[in-house]
Amino acid sequence: MSKTKVGIINVTGYAGVELARLLSKHPTVELTSVTGRSAAGQPLGKVFPHLSNIDLTITTELGDVDLAFSAMPHKESAKEIIPLLKKGIKIVDISSDFRLKDPAAYPAWYSFNHPGPELLNEAVFGLTELHRSEVASARLVANPGCYPTGAILAFAPAVKAGIIKPDIIVDSKSGVSGAGRTLSLNTHFAEVNEDVSAYSLEGHRHLPEITQELSLLNKNMVPNITFIPHLIPMTRGILTTGYATLVPGKLTEGPKGKDELRELYRAFYKDEHFVKVVDFPPHTKYVSGSNFVLIYPTIDLRTGRLVVISAIDNLVKGAAGQAIQNMNVMLGFLEWKGIDAPALYP
Amino acid sequence: MSKTKVGIINVTGYAGVELARLLSKHPTVELTSVTGRSAAGQPLGKVFPHLSNIDLTITTELGDVDLAFSAMPHKESAKEIIPLLKKGIKIVDISSDFRLKDPAAYPAWYSFNHPGPELLNEAVFGLTELHRSEVASARLVANPGCYPTGAILAFAPAVKAGIIKPDIIVDSKSGVSGAGRTLSLNTHFAEVNEDVSAYSLEGHRHLPEITQELSLLNKNMVPNITFIPHLIPMTRGILTTGYATLVPGKLTEGPKGKDELRELYRAFYKDEHFVKVVDFPPHTKYVSGSNFVLIYPTIDLRTGRLVVISAIDNLVKGAAGQAIQNMNVMLGFLEWKGIDAPALYP
Amino acid sequence: MSKTKVGIINVTGYAGVELARLLSKHPTVELTSVTGRSAAGQPLGKVFPHLSNIDLTITTELGDVDLAFSAMPHKESAKEIIPLLKKGIKIVDISSDFRLKDPAAYPAWYSFNHPGPELLNEAVFGLTELHRSEVASARLVANPGCYPTGAILAFAPAVKAGIIKPDIIVDSKSGVSGAGRTLSLNTHFAEVNEDVSAYSLEGHRHLPEITQELSLLNKNMVPNITFIPHLIPMTRGILTTGYATLVPGKLTEGPKGKDELRELYRAFYKDEHFVKVVDFPPHTKYVSGSNFVLIYPTIDLRTGRLVVISAIDNLVKGAAGQAIQNMNVMLGFLEWKGIDAPALYP
Amino acid sequence: MSKTKVGIINVTGYAGVELARLLSKHPTVELTSVTGRSAAGQPLGKVFPHLSNIDLTITTELGDVDLAFSAMPHKESAKEIIPLLKKGIKIVDISSDFRLKDPAAYPAWYSFNHPGPELLNEAVFGLTELHRSEVASARLVANPGCYPTGAILAFAPAVKAGIIKPDIIVDSKSGVSGAGRTLSLNTHFAEVNEDVSAYSLEGHRHLPEITQELSLLNKNMVPNITFIPHLIPMTRGILTTGYATLVPGKLTEGPKGKDELRELYRAFYKDEHFVKVVDFPPHTKYVSGSNFVLIYPTIDLRTGRLVVISAIDNLVKGAAGQAIQNMNVMLGFLEWKGIDAPALYP
């Protein structure tokens, strides 16, 4: 049986290289083309020694593939993708260029006018757990941002069930790889090691994704979200701690309500391979290198608040792993094919 | 001029050893006695090589001092302190044993009945910035917990001014030294490195301190606080991100309200040596090893929420440094004597 | 086709749990039994959440298996293994109990008399690259120590070829997971983070393994080795830097000799799947989570010294991965089956 | 009494900013001028928030000072310094521009012709412990490199006493701050975190300093040094492990020789405030933020080799602290004035 040919546009960032790592061991696809401007002409395994077993040279132009992952920066990605779609190549876009449905969001949040606004409705927001059937028939999937993946999955069951009020606080703690491979003082070792700080307090670009998706889950609710990301001294992982006030009367008061809450979450995710609703506060270490998501919903009984915590690996479920999960669905493979390895612990 | 003699009860934990570091260079006190059960009989500099210039042997019993710091664990500390007070020795207690005014809080939060409930009212909660004049005349100061120091200072101006509603979220991120020197899987390097997690979701023991102190600042407000601490892979530092809804009409809407908010905070702390209200999100690295506190208050304009971030070193302003700040006030010294060194950066 | 049944004795340490991670995805064996005294009776996935997809309960006694991995501590391991061998179960022993051929080495280095000295000659030292054919027919393989794996592979080609004098310096830098999951002040986060130190300067227990194996490679050479291990603040990985004086006349002087040296190493490892002789100083990050070894041999032209650097993951090639590599050879599988995933980078 | 005015040329790197931290609390000098091209015009405390208590603006030109520290990069530093010397300003140069006595070393190692070769003999190599009296009368002190400081102090007593053969191995492990504040993939957090690697295997620029200074200590010995630096995932600190073969007959064989060795080192450093010869393998954490050096000399009894380990803080004793130590000597102050704070532990 011949394998499906896939390619990676801009393999040289952390999402691109993580795609290559995972795709190189995927049983039913073959990675046949990787592009990257700065490193064009070099063997992939020379630029990234951990990939030396992949026999590919980085090129400027994408080769002949059935499906391509774009790991280009936003704005650049749409430009690369649109011609490929026309050629009939299926696309999973890791960038943010097709995540937001509202064309006006691009100039507002990303400072550019979208070059293909007519595609925004067609593009499927690839949080697989929420849009599986649309992903299955899509030719263009917009892979979610890393923070939105953790935040939306944490709140989706509660929003859908209408058990919380719309005032939502999302406090996320991310490893530094989320900031990419581009050099910056914020990611300079001596600055970020032994340090923690919040950033993007004026509004992080991942906020509209979170708002859009939570809004879709419940027509009776207009979520009012404050989202504050933090950078912490580790490489991989995002822990999201979410807070919201429970609507009185939906869950039994007292400890029993906690059990009902957990059951509600478990029911919501009962068919999901990658989402595990747990009964302890999750650690990002438990999902490092894997596509799994751990979610712990609980109630602060003193105040009647939902506290929900999710842990993901920002480069796997938050980027490359989920992209392959989407690819699997698009191509009709088993959803967890090639991405069901357990986390690397410790 | 003879120096005031001071001692440290239980020097062998991180708070104790940090006291020794700072006191060894204090210009007007002399560290003359350090106790510690497990290491009794050994030179301090042998157990802690960085203190080898301090010529003291760890003893079982406290020597003759004018003021003692207790770095004993809770429950043990009160027992040690009460007889010393009777001898006329002034005390700064790093433990939690005299922080809470309500005797019922001890069995509820710490599982023991307080051995000296009559002292709870006399003891001064040593958040120096809020209780300076009481500290000045106290014989027993209860040094605040590390989390409460960062959280209370972050919210005090807003609570006092009545600009926020009582629903308060406190999301704190702490370095691992806050968990002490006692061995535990939670502080085992391979477990906590490259990891982040929340803990004490059923209610952390520092919550009643935060509630007690914020309540005292505004009689019209009963704060309703959710406090979730997180452990992150660094040694020192606590970053606290606080969230609360603004009371409409107190601050001008829009960006101007942010300036007013910052001015309100600056006015509140205008005479404080150690508190700096800054106009950027603070990093814990900027206060590492120092007694300074950085506070950044801002408004999430989309939602009308106060977001306030504070950064401290948990072992200095959150423990030993603040203890010496209190000692300075108790003994009539300049408040920043011996503790005004800048942070160690990077 | 039925899979071969394998078990892990003492799954609760880092080597044991890493075996479980890798075996759970091995295509031709089935992990059917895991033992562990402290956690007996608990589901494996409850004690180690990243393994929640493995449906096994930790037991006291090993179940019915064809091959067992022992991850017991030294001295205990031999006692567990000997009865199993008698039952016909093949064994890969991760402990040091069967690594040394000389029975006198056990009291000298490990302070116990070996309970089965007659097995020492039969046991095969499982550095697969050096003892492949013996491993293939072995019923008892002694998996090498983590440091010896990196050190022996770094020096083997040079020793075998007789190009270096017997005075060998081995300076190794290890991540903290090598010290295991048992609590200790040396592995307490706040102590080891932002720190580096040497240890075991009186003679580390891995020294006799290194000496034994290098001695076997060249009958004309009695290696005279100083081995100093260091602990550095990371979880996984060992970088070994080796130094030895070149025997004059064996390699061309000047830069050309470097090329000859590299060719000599490449020839030595030309059929090896897991050993890559590279032309740059390797990083442990390039092998993290993988069974690969990177080796960079070079010459300090100013002094005529060999400098050779190897990088491994101490828990994979230095423990669990190599154990499975040995199992694959023992059971006649492809050597890299189940353990050829690329490293997790970054 | 008026304080001596001092300035810092190029305050914006890690050495410069560390000078500012330490000088701001020095009791007998006043920091009155700080320069820096990129940040000229900005308040020092705005660029470096931990220095907000220093009321200085970064300027392009150095103000009127009695002594200046140059923290310029090599090649640039000499050009800045020469005119200042002519004006009668005393200089401590943190760069390498005046460390090497041989003018030919600059084109060979640093790729530039020295602009003031006539000054090379006058300049004093500021390893204070070895050149104190020359420093006292110098107008130009060349502050040693960070690696040479640790390496030379580790070997000086052994070389001076002639107890080792000239074949010397220096294996150093450095924190990342040693690579400076300039951005590079080698210092990008996600690359260097959880990683260790060797670098500069073709010859690090600090090698000629080490050779020059050890050669001066013993006319009968031409040291033949291999020096390999390593980068490890921490911010501050250098641990140097040195190896050399003992000359037979100089020390008693067996354990007694170890004691003699330690006594030899203690005698050598008996009057030194900052050098502590210890009887345990030192940790860099024990000197973090301080000007102290810990040295542990021992003998590998199996091989008759000296193994000597030193620990320093690369930014303090390896740069800014030692520069102030030299300044103190040059200005006739107590040598440890302003730099005798204990290390920040943990």
Side-chain angles (χ1 to χ4, degrees):
Chain A
M1 192 196 77
S2 76
K3 294 182 173 184
T4 306
K5 287 184 191 168
V6 301
I8 302 167
I9 302 167
N10 195 28
V11 75
T12 56
Y14 288 141
V17 86
E18 186 71 348
L19 277 165
R21 174 179 80 89
L22 292 166
L23 290 169
S24 73
K25 292 290 157 188
H26 194 286
T28 52
V29 305
E30 186 183 359
L31 179 62
T32 59
S33 174
V34 294
T35 79
R37 236 164 290 175
S38 62
Q42 296 189 60
L44 180 61
K46 197 178 156 77
V47 185
F48 297 103
H50 71 297
L51 298 180
S52 62
N53 278 1
I54 304 178
D55 187 20
L56 281 175
T57 294
I58 301 172
T59 56
T60 314
E61 299 298 319
L62 189 69
D64 178 38
V65 296
D66 302 306
L67 181 147
F69 298 90
S70 170
M72 293 291 286
H74 65 83
K75 189 178 171 185
E76 303 301 314
S77 197
K79 286 189 225 160
E80 293 268 345
I81 285 170
I82 294 171
L84 296 174
L85 279 174
K86 288 181 182 155
K87 288 198 217 167
I89 299 174
K90 292 186 175 186
I91 299 288
V92 179
D93 182 14
I94 307 269
S95 91
S96 52
D97 280 1
F98 294 94
R99 294 180 196 155
L100 303 176
K101 297 299 172 196
D102 178 5
Y106 292 90
W109 286 94
Y110 290 95
S111 309
F112 74 97
N113 289 310
H114 202 285
E118 70 285 359
L119 290 164
L120 294 177
N121 258 329
E122 180 191 340
V124 176
F125 189 84
L127 195 60
T128 331
E129 285 75 11
L130 299 188
H131 299 284
R132 182 171 289 113
S133 64
E134 299 153 80
V135 169
S137 57
R139 55 174 195 146
L140 170 56
V141 167
N143 214 57
C146 51
Y147 287 120
T149 296
I152 298 165
L153 291 173
F155 275 103
V159 168
K160 175 92 172 183
I163 62 168
I164 56 170
K165 297 188 180 173
D167 284 312
I168 289 176
I169 306 283
V170 178
D171 186 297
S172 293
K173 298 89 180 162
S174 176
V176 180
S177 65
R181 207 166 178 247
T182 305
L183 304 182
S184 144
L185 198 58
N186 296 328
T187 54
H188 194 57
F189 183 86
E191 300 286 326
V192 77
N193 183 43
E194 282 291 291
D195 187 43
V196 49
S197 62
Y199 66 104
S200 289
L201 275 90
E202 308 299 310
H204 189 280
R205 285 165 166 171
H206 284 172
L207 173 58
E209 285 177 49
I210 302 172
T211 305
Q212 169 183 293
E213 293 299 310
L214 292 184
S215 299
L216 287 172
L217 286 162
N218 189 329
K219 286 178 185 164
N220 301 316
M221 180 176 168
V222 181
N224 189 34
I225 304 171
T226 293
F227 164 53
I228 306 288
H230 299 76
L231 212 57
I232 65 173
M234 64 182 202
T235 299
R236 284 174 180 247
I238 293 177
L239 193 84
T240 292
T241 311
Y243 305 89
T245 300
L246 289 168
V247 174
K250 298 281 185 174
L251 299 172
T252 306
E253 291 209 7
K256 204 182 159 210
K258 287 192 192 185
D259 297 337
E260 293 168 10
L261 177 69
R262 196 157 54 230
E263 285 318 306
L264 185 154
Y265 269 70
R266 288 201 166 138
F268 189 94
Y269 289 122
K270 72 177 187 302
D271 296 326
E272 296 302 333
H273 184 83
F274 290 115
V275 181
K276 294 179 185 292
V277 178
V278 295
D279 52 8
F280 56 87
H283 290 232
T284 55
K285 188 179 279 290
Y286 299 159
V287 294
S288 186
S290 90
N291 202 52
F292 291 94
V293 184
L294 301 182
I295 300 181
Y296 176 57
T298 189
I299 299 170
D300 177 6
L301 294 176
R302 281 176 199 84
T303 59
R305 279 190 196 112
L306 169 75
V307 178
V308 57
I309 302 178
S310 68
I312 63 166
D313 182 318
N314 57 305
L315 293 179
V316 188
K317 181 64 179 173
Q322 182 152 254
I324 296 171
Q325 186 182 357
N326 284 321
M327 177 200 77
N328 285 337
V329 174
M330 292 164 85
L331 298 179
F333 302 146
L334 207 59
E335 188 170 325
W336 47 89
K337 195 154 262 186
I339 46 172
D340 65 344
L344 193 70
Y345 158 93
Chain B
M1 193 196 77
S2 77
K3 294 182 173 183
T4 306
K5 287 182 191 169
V6 301
I8 302 167
I9 302 166
N10 194 29
V11 74
T12 57
Y14 288 141
V17 85
E18 186 72 346
L19 277 165
R21 174 179 79 89
L22 292 166
L23 290 168
S24 73
K25 293 289 156 187
H26 194 286
T28 53
V29 305
E30 187 183 358
L31 179 62
T32 60
S33 174
V34 294
T35 80
R37 237 163 290 177
S38 62
Q42 297 190 59
L44 180 61
K46 197 178 156 77
V47 186
F48 297 103
H50 71 298
L51 298 180
S52 62
N53 277 1
I54 304 179
D55 187 20
L56 281 175
T57 294
I58 300 171
T59 56
T60 314
E61 298 299 319
L62 190 69
D64 178 38
V65 296
D66 302 306
L67 181 147
F69 298 90
S70 171
M72 292 292 286
H74 65 84
K75 189 177 171 188
E76 303 301 314
S77 197
K79 287 189 225 159
E80 292 268 345
I81 284 169
I82 293 170
L84 297 174
L85 279 174
K86 287 181 181 156
K87 287 199 218 167
I89 298 174
K90 293 185 173 185
I91 300 286
V92 179
D93 182 15
I94 307 269
S95 91
S96 53
D97 280 1
F98 294 95
R99 294 180 196 154
L100 303 176
K101 297 300 171 194
D102 178 4
Y106 292 91
W109 286 94
Y110 291 94
S111 308
F112 74 98
N113 288 310
H114 203 285
E118 70 285 0
L119 289 164
L120 293 177
N121 258 328
E122 181 192 337
V124 175
F125 188 83
L127 194 59
T128 331
E129 286 75 11
L130 299 187
H131 298 285
R132 182 171 288 114
S133 65
E134 299 153 80
V135 169
S137 57
R139 55 174 195 146
L140 171 56
V141 168
N143 215 55
C146 52
Y147 287 120
T149 296
I152 298 165
L153 290 174
F155 276 102
V159 169
K160 175 92 171 181
I163 60 169
I164 55 171
K165 297 188 180 172
D167 284 313
I168 288 175
I169 307 282
V170 178
D171 186 298
S172 293
K173 298 90 179 161
S174 176
V176 180
S177 65
R181 204 162 179 250
T182 305
L183 303 181
S184 145
L185 199 59
N186 296 327
T187 54
H188 194 58
F189 183 86
E191 300 286 325
V192 78
N193 183 43
E194 282 291 293
D195 187 42
V196 49
S197 63
Y199 66 105
S200 289
L201 274 90
E202 308 299 311
H204 188 281
R205 286 166 167 171
H206 284 173
L207 174 58
E209 286 178 49
I210 301 172
T211 306
Q212 169 183 293
E213 292 299 311
L214 291 184
S215 300
L216 287 173
L217 286 162
N218 189 330
K219 286 177 186 168
N220 300 316
M221 180 175 169
V222 182
N224 188 35
I225 304 172
T226 294
F227 163 55
I228 306 287
H230 299 75
L231 212 55
I232 64 173
M234 64 182 202
T235 300
R236 284 174 179 246
I238 293 177
L239 193 84
T240 292
T241 310
Y243 305 89
T245 299
L246 288 168
V247 175
K250 297 282 185 173
L251 299 172
T252 306
E253 289 208 8
K256 205 183 158 211
K258 287 192 191 183
D259 297 336
E260 291 168 11
L261 176 69
R262 195 157 55 231
E263 284 318 305
L264 185 154
Y265 269 69
R266 288 201 167 137
F268 189 93
Y269 288 123
K270 71 176 189 303
D271 297 326
E272 295 304 332
H273 185 83
F274 290 115
V275 182
K276 294 178 185 293
V277 178
V278 295
D279 51 9
F280 56 87
H283 290 232
T284 54
K285 189 179 277 292
Y286 299 160
V287 295
S288 184
S290 89
N291 202 51
F292 292 95
V293 184
L294 300 183
I295 300 181
Y296 176 58
T298 189
I299 299 170
D300 177 6
L301 294 176
R302 281 175 199 84
T303 60
R305 277 191 198 112
L306 170 75
V307 178
V308 57
I309 302 176
S310 68
I312 63 166
D313 182 316
N314 58 304
L315 293 179
V316 188
K317 182 61 179 173
Q322 182 152 253
I324 295 172
Q325 186 182 356
N326 284 321
M327 176 201 78
N328 284 337
V329 173
M330 292 164 85
L331 298 179
F333 301 146
L334 206 59
E335 189 170 323
W336 48 89
K337 196 156 261 184
I339 46 171
D340 64 344
L344 194 69
Y345 159 94
Chain C
M1 194 197 74
S2 77
K3 294 183 174 183
T4 306
K5 288 184 191 167
V6 301
I8 302 167
I9 304 166
N10 194 29
V11 74
T12 57
Y14 288 141
V17 84
E18 186 71 348
L19 277 166
R21 174 180 77 90
L22 292 166
L23 291 168
S24 73
K25 292 290 158 188
H26 194 287
T28 53
V29 305
E30 187 183 0
L31 179 63
T32 59
S33 174
V34 294
T35 79
R37 236 163 291 175
S38 61
Q42 297 189 60
L44 180 61
K46 195 178 158 77
V47 185
F48 297 103
H50 70 298
L51 299 179
S52 62
N53 278 2
I54 304 178
D55 186 20
L56 282 175
T57 294
I58 301 171
T59 56
T60 314
E61 298 299 319
L62 189 69
D64 178 38
V65 296
D66 302 306
L67 182 147
F69 299 89
S70 170
M72 293 291 286
H74 65 85
K75 191 178 170 187
E76 303 301 314
S77 197
K79 285 188 226 159
E80 293 269 345
I81 285 170
I82 293 170
L84 297 174
L85 279 174
K86 288 181 180 154
K87 287 199 217 166
I89 299 174
K90 291 185 177 186
I91 300 286
V92 180
D93 182 15
I94 307 269
S95 92
S96 52
D97 280 1
F98 294 94
R99 293 181 197 153
L100 303 176
K101 297 299 172 195
D102 179 5
Y106 292 91
W109 287 93
Y110 291 95
S111 308
F112 74 97
N113 288 310
H114 202 284
E118 71 285 358
L119 289 164
L120 294 178
N121 258 328
E122 182 193 338
V124 176
F125 188 84
L127 195 59
T128 331
E129 285 76 10
L130 299 187
H131 298 285
R132 182 172 289 110
S133 64
E134 298 154 81
V135 168
S137 57
R139 55 175 195 145
L140 170 55
V141 168
N143 214 55
C146 50
Y147 288 120
T149 296
I152 298 166
L153 290 173
F155 275 103
V159 168
K160 175 93 170 180
I163 61 168
I164 55 169
K165 297 188 180 172
D167 284 312
I168 289 175
I169 307 283
V170 178
D171 186 298
S172 293
K173 298 89 182 162
S174 177
V176 180
S177 65
R181 205 164 179 250
T182 305
L183 304 182
S184 145
L185 198 59
N186 297 325
T187 54
H188 195 58
F189 184 86
E191 300 286 325
V192 78
N193 183 42
E194 282 291 293
D195 188 42
V196 49
S197 63
Y199 67 104
S200 289
L201 274 90
E202 308 299 310
H204 189 281
R205 284 165 168 173
H206 284 173
L207 174 58
E209 285 178 50
I210 302 172
T211 305
Q212 168 183 295
E213 292 300 310
L214 292 184
S215 299
L216 287 172
L217 285 163
N218 189 329
K219 287 178 184 167
N220 299 315
M221 182 176 168
V222 182
N224 189 35
I225 304 171
T226 294
F227 163 54
I228 306 288
H230 299 75
L231 212 56
I232 64 173
M234 63 183 202
T235 299
R236 283 173 180 247
I238 292 178
L239 193 85
T240 292
T241 311
Y243 305 89
T245 300
L246 289 168
V247 175
K250 298 281 185 175
L251 298 173
T252 305
E253 290 208 7
K256 205 182 158 212
K258 287 192 192 183
D259 296 338
E260 292 169 9
L261 176 69
R262 194 157 56 228
E263 284 319 305
L264 185 155
Y265 269 69
R266 288 199 167 140
F268 189 95
Y269 289 122
K270 70 177 189 303
D271 296 326
E272 296 303 333
H273 185 82
F274 290 115
V275 181
K276 294 180 184 292
V277 178
V278 294
D279 52 8
F280 56 87
H283 290 232
T284 55
K285 188 178 277 290
Y286 299 159
V287 294
S288 185
S290 89
N291 202 51
F292 291 95
V293 184
L294 301 182
I295 300 181
Y296 176 58
T298 190
I299 299 170
D300 177 5
L301 294 177
R302 280 174 200 83
T303 60
R305 277 189 198 114
L306 170 75
V307 178
V308 56
I309 302 177
S310 70
I312 62 168
D313 182 317
N314 58 304
L315 292 178
V316 188
K317 182 62 179 172
Q322 183 153 252
I324 295 171
Q325 186 181 358
N326 284 321
M327 177 200 79
N328 284 338
V329 174
M330 292 165 85
L331 298 179
F333 301 146
L334 206 60
E335 188 170 324
W336 47 90
K337 196 155 261 184
I339 46 172
D340 64 344
L344 193 70
Y345 159 94
Chain D
M1 194 196 75
S2 77
K3 294 183 173 183
T4 306
K5 289 183 190 168
V6 301
I8 302 168
I9 303 166
N10 195 29
V11 74
T12 56
Y14 289 141
V17 84
E18 185 72 347
L19 277 165
R21 173 179 79 90
L22 292 166
L23 290 169
S24 73
K25 292 290 157 187
H26 193 287
T28 53
V29 306
E30 186 183 359
L31 179 62
T32 59
S33 175
V34 294
T35 80
R37 237 164 291 176
S38 61
Q42 296 190 60
L44 180 61
K46 195 178 158 77
V47 185
F48 296 103
H50 70 297
L51 298 180
S52 62
N53 277 1
I54 304 178
D55 186 20
L56 281 175
T57 295
I58 300 172
T59 55
T60 314
E61 299 298 320
L62 189 69
D64 178 37
V65 296
D66 301 307
L67 183 147
F69 298 90
S70 171
M72 293 291 286
H74 66 84
K75 189 177 171 189
E76 303 301 314
S77 197
K79 286 189 225 160
E80 293 268 344
I81 285 171
I82 294 171
L84 297 174
L85 279 174
K86 287 182 181 153
K87 288 199 216 167
I89 298 173
K90 291 185 174 186
I91 300 287
V92 179
D93 182 15
I94 306 270
S95 92
S96 52
D97 280 1
F98 294 93
R99 292 180 197 154
L100 303 176
K101 296 302 172 192
D102 179 4
Y106 292 91
W109 287 94
Y110 291 95
S111 307
F112 75 97
N113 289 309
H114 201 285
E118 71 284 359
L119 289 164
L120 294 177
N121 258 327
E122 183 192 338
V124 175
F125 188 84
L127 195 59
T128 331
E129 285 76 10
L130 299 186
H131 298 285
R132 183 172 288 113
S133 64
E134 300 154 80
V135 168
S137 58
R139 55 175 195 146
L140 170 56
V141 167
N143 214 56
C146 51
Y147 287 120
T149 296
I152 298 166
L153 290 173
F155 276 103
V159 168
K160 175 93 171 183
I163 62 169
I164 55 170
K165 296 188 181 172
D167 284 312
I168 289 175
I169 306 284
V170 177
D171 186 299
S172 293
K173 297 90 181 162
S174 177
V176 180
S177 65
R181 207 165 178 248
T182 305
L183 304 181
S184 145
L185 198 59
N186 296 326
T187 54
H188 194 58
F189 183 86
E191 300 286 325
V192 78
N193 183 43
E194 281 292 293
D195 186 42
V196 49
S197 63
Y199 66 104
S200 289
L201 274 91
E202 308 298 309
H204 188 280
R205 284 166 166 171
H206 284 172
L207 174 58
E209 284 177 50
I210 302 172
T211 305
Q212 168 182 294
E213 292 299 310
L214 292 184
S215 299
L216 287 173
L217 285 163
N218 188 330
K219 286 178 183 164
N220 300 315
M221 182 176 168
V222 181
N224 189 35
I225 304 171
T226 294
F227 164 54
I228 306 288
H230 300 74
L231 212 57
I232 63 173
M234 64 182 202
T235 299
R236 284 174 180 245
I238 293 177
L239 193 84
T240 291
T241 311
Y243 305 89
T245 299
L246 288 168
V247 175
K250 298 282 185 174
L251 299 172
T252 306
E253 290 207 9
K256 205 183 157 209
K258 287 192 191 184
D259 296 337
E260 292 168 10
L261 176 69
R262 195 157 55 230
E263 284 318 306
L264 185 155
Y265 269 71
R266 288 200 167 139
F268 189 93
Y269 289 122
K270 72 177 188 302
D271 297 327
E272 296 303 332
H273 185 83
F274 290 115
V275 182
K276 294 181 185 292
V277 178
V278 295
D279 52 9
F280 56 86
H283 290 231
T284 55
K285 188 179 279 290
Y286 298 160
V287 295
S288 186
S290 89
N291 202 51
F292 291 95
V293 184
L294 301 183
I295 300 180
Y296 176 59
T298 189
I299 298 171
D300 178 5
L301 294 177
R302 281 175 198 84
T303 60
R305 278 190 198 114
L306 169 75
V307 178
V308 57
I309 302 177
S310 69
I312 62 167
D313 182 317
N314 58 304
L315 293 179
V316 188
K317 183 61 180 173
Q322 182 153 252
I324 296 172
Q325 187 181 356
N326 284 320
M327 176 201 78
N328 285 338
V329 174
M330 291 164 86
L331 299 179
F333 301 147
L334 208 58
E335 189 170 323
W336 48 88
K337 196 155 261 185
I339 46 172
D340 65 345
L344 193 71
Y345 159 94

